[in-house]
């Protein structure tokens, strides 16, 4: 006996109940779409949070009073640059320089250029619009060891230089002594090519350097002079703030300390300030909402199974005699129940498909979310249907046939 034509005839005959079941299943599916859509939206928000809220960090001294003019060991700088958690590092070293070659006795009058070695424009507090470059040169030269420099426009005009000229420089570095002493001592006498000019924003407080050198070229000068290289500042962006714990573990292994306001003033750059409070609070709120929503899943599953049971019970209500007739004409108990199961399964499938179609167009989850909703709905609903059919099949065929209604 072919069960499908019989099933379709029964669905047509019970048209009102069939439409009602489809609508109930559609509504239940839409609720699941809304539930899973909220979870998916929160998950995407959490994934994109590092783009919306950056976490920056910087080296400072132990009491947190200084983040420039520090003694940051070359080994620490190297380890930070190699770290997988460090992005967009900005390394600087402060120097003094003067035009021409001169003796150490003349340094007080000849060292007139506030100089900074940097690995990027950000290290000098400048933007590309503040600069004019020599043809074929880009700001990327600052990350190289090329002996090229950027010079303040007013200084160039005063000294009669132009872009592309070679300038003779005497460079001095800062040496840190005991008891907060700082000494200015010779580093190198060398020649640099003017790669571009700098138009500073009119500040006269020494914030913007007049001479900018690639930090790698400066480090090479330290090596030639046999002087241990020290950076004076180091700041960066945490590459993936979602891995903050791993990042902080690595910083701890590099022996970087948290800021201690009660510490004595010194120049050693051995502490780390991480500006992560806003990111952590936002991420915690999102994770709390995710945990809360996910905690509702068992309840959602029970409700969906209950919807399946109640809807199936509504659909097979007053059809026990129809079931008994199928049994009396020789259709086995399993096949008889399967006829009703197939009827309701088709209705649930139609309702699920209609709900998924509406949910797909109304949410950003797409087909994957629709498949997940269908799997959850049918997986939770079908046991409820089976339970309703089991309760319908209780009792003997004669008892069911002789019952009224």
């Amino acid at each position: 006996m072919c069960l499908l034509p019989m099933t379709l005839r029964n669905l047509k005959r019970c048209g009102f109940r069939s439409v009602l079941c489809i609508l109930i299943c559609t509504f239940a599916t839409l609720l699941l779409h809304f539930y899973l859509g909220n979870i998916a939206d929160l998950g995407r928000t959490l994934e994109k949070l590092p783009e919306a809220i950056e976490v920056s960090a910087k080296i400072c001294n132990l009491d947190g009073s200084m983040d420039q003019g520090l003694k940051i060991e070359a080994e620490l700088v190297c380890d930070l640059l190699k770290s997988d958690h460090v992005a967009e590092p900005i390394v600087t070293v402060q120097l003094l320089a003067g035009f021409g070659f001169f003796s150490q006795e003349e340094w007080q009058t000849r060292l007139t250029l506030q100089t900074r070695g940097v690995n990027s424009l950000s290290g000098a507090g400048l933007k590309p619009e503040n600069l004019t470059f020599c043809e074929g040169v880009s700001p990327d030269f600052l990350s190289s060891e090329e002996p090229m420099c950027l010079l303040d426009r007013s200084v160039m005009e005063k000294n009669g230089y132009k872009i592309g000229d070679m300038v003779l420089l005497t460079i001095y570095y800062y040496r840190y002594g005991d008891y907060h002493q700082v000494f200015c001592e010779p580093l190198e006498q060398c020649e640099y090519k003017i790669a571009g000019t700098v138009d500073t924003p009119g500040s006269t407080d020494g914030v913007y350097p007049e001479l900018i050198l690639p930090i790698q070229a400066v480090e090479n000068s330290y090596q030639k002079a046999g002087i241990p290289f020290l950076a004076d500042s180091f700041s960066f962006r945490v590459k993936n703030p979602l891995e903050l714990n791993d990042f902080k573990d690595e910083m701890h292994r590099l022996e970087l300390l948290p800021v201690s306001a009660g510490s004595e003033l010194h120049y050693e750059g051995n502490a780390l300030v991480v500006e992560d409070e806003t990111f952590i609070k936002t991420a915690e709120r999102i994770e709390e909402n995710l945990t809360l929503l996910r905690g509702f899943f068992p309840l959602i599953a029970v409700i969906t199974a209950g919807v399946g049971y109640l809807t199936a019970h509504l659909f097979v209500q007053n059809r026990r005699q129809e079931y008994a007739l199928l049994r009396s004409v020789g259709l086995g108990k399993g096949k008889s129940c399967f006829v009703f199961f197939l009827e309701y399964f088709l209705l649930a499938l139609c309702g699920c498909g209609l709900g998924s179609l509406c949910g797909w167009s109304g949410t950003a989850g797409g087909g994957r979310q629709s498949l997940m909703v269908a799997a959850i709905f049918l997986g939770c609903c079908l046991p409820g249907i089976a339970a309703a059919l089991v309760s319908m099949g209780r009792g003997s065929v004669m008892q069911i046939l002789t019952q009224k209604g």
Side-chain angles (χ1 to χ4, degrees):
M1 180 182 294
C2 185
L3 300 180
L4 186 57
M6 181 191 303
T7 301
L8 295 177
R9 284 195 299 271
N10 289 340
L11 291 177
K12 186 177 180 180
R13 180 168 52 85
C14 303
F16 176 76
R17 291 184 181 181
S18 298
V19 172
L20 184 59
C21 288
I22 290 175
L23 291 176
I24 292 174
C25 293
T26 300
F27 182 70
T29 305
L30 282 173
L31 286 179
L32 278 174
H33 259 288
F34 178 75
Y35 170 73
L36 292 183
N38 275 311
I39 292 178
D41 287 342
L42 285 173
R44 284 190 290 269
T45 301
L46 187 60
E47 289 177 0
K48 294 180 179 179
L49 193 60
E51 300 175 12
I53 305 176
E54 291 186 354
V55 174
S56 59
K58 59 184 177 182
I59 303 296
C60 63
N61 60 349
L62 194 56
D63 71 348
S65 61
M66 298 173 59
D67 56 19
Q68 293 185 359
L70 300 171
K71 295 167 54 180
I72 305 176
E73 302 288 343
E75 183 179 358
L76 176 58
V77 172
C78 184
D79 288 339
L80 287 171
L81 291 175
K82 291 179 180 177
S83 172
D84 293 332
H85 297 289
V86 172
E88 301 173 14
I90 299 174
V91 192
T92 70
V93 56
Q94 293 187 25
L95 305 163
L96 280 176
F99 291 121
F101 295 162
F102 50 85
S103 65
Q104 192 168 354
E105 289 75 18
E106 301 176 273
W107 75 269
Q108 288 185 334
T109 56
R110 300 289 298 272
L111 291 177
T112 58
L113 297 174
Q114 292 291 333
T115 306
R116 190 176 301 173
V118 301
N119 68 331
S120 69
L121 290 181
S122 300
L126 299 172
K127 298 179 180 179
E129 54 264 30
N130 301 128
L131 306 170
T132 303
F133 288 101
C134 182
E135 185 177 354
V137 177
S138 71
D140 294 337
F141 87 89
L142 291 172
S143 60
S144 71
E145 56 184 24
E146 294 292 326
M148 297 191 295
C149 66
L150 298 175
L151 193 59
D152 183 86
R153 182 182 295 275
S154 61
V155 174
M156 284 183 60
E157 293 174 351
K158 180 180 178 181
N159 291 273
Y161 291 116
K162 61 182 183 296
I163 294 177
D165 286 352
M166 302 297 294
V167 292
L168 302 178
L169 296 173
T170 296
I171 303 174
Y172 275 54
Y173 76 103
Y174 291 103
R175 180 177 65 83
Y176 296 87
D178 298 329
Y179 308 107
H180 312 307
Q181 295 171 310
V182 181
F183 303 94
C184 191
E185 297 187 350
L187 177 63
E188 186 181 24
Q189 293 180 323
C190 54
E191 194 175 38
Y192 273 80
K193 178 182 178 180
I194 301 176
T197 62
V198 179
D199 293 311
T200 58
S203 173
T204 58
D205 57 3
V207 174
Y208 299 97
E210 298 165 306
L211 177 65
I212 300 171
L213 309 176
I215 198 167
Q216 189 62 52
V218 174
E219 190 171 355
N220 289 344
S221 297
Y222 274 81
Q223 291 176 355
K224 291 176 187 176
I227 301 169
F229 175 76
L230 295 174
D232 91 287
S233 75
F234 194 111
S235 60
F236 57 93
R237 177 178 62 83
V238 179
K239 183 177 291 186
N240 185 1
L242 295 175
E243 299 176 355
L244 268 178
N245 290 336
D246 293 337
F247 161 71
K248 290 181 178 180
D249 287 342
E250 182 179 7
M251 297 301 104
H252 181 71
R253 289 195 296 272
L254 294 179
E255 298 183 354
L256 285 170
L257 305 172
V259 169
S260 175
S263 302
E264 293 183 4
L265 174 66
H266 59 73
Y267 296 116
E268 280 76 14
N270 57 356
L272 182 69
V273 173
V274 183
E275 298 174 357
D276 57 358
E277 183 177 357
T278 301
F279 180 87
I280 289 176
K281 286 183 177 179
T282 305
E284 284 178 346
R285 283 197 296 268
I286 294 174
E287 288 177 346
E288 285 172 3
N289 291 335
L290 273 172
T291 301
L292 182 63
L293 280 176
R294 287 167 178 162
F296 278 113
F297 182 76
L299 179 60
I300 295 291
V302 170
I303 291 174
T304 305
V307 168
Y309 175 82
L310 293 175
T311 311
H313 181 74
L314 171 68
F315 187 70
V316 300
Q317 189 178 14
N318 300 326
R319 297 183 67 188
R320 294 190 71 197
Q321 291 190 343
E322 186 179 338
Y323 164 78
L325 286 174
L326 290 176
R327 292 287 309 279
S328 66
V329 296
L331 203 62
K333 184 176 181 179
K335 288 186 176 180
S336 299
C337 287
F338 184 73
V339 170
F340 291 94
F341 181 85
L342 185 59
E343 290 178 18
Y344 189 79
F345 176 75
L346 291 176
L347 295 176
L349 199 59
C350 288
C352 183
L354 183 59
S356 293
L357 184 63
C358 296
W360 190 353
S361 61
T363 63
R368 183 178 180 182
Q369 181 174 307
S370 296
L371 290 175
M372 189 179 298
V373 167
I376 293 173
F377 176 76
L378 294 176
C380 296
C381 193
L382 293 182
I385 299 171
L389 293 177
V390 168
S391 64
M392 182 188 71
R394 290 175 181 170
S396 65
V397 174
M398 292 304 298
Q399 286 176 335
I400 296 173
L401 287 173
T402 55
Q403 286 179 352
K404 293 183 179 180

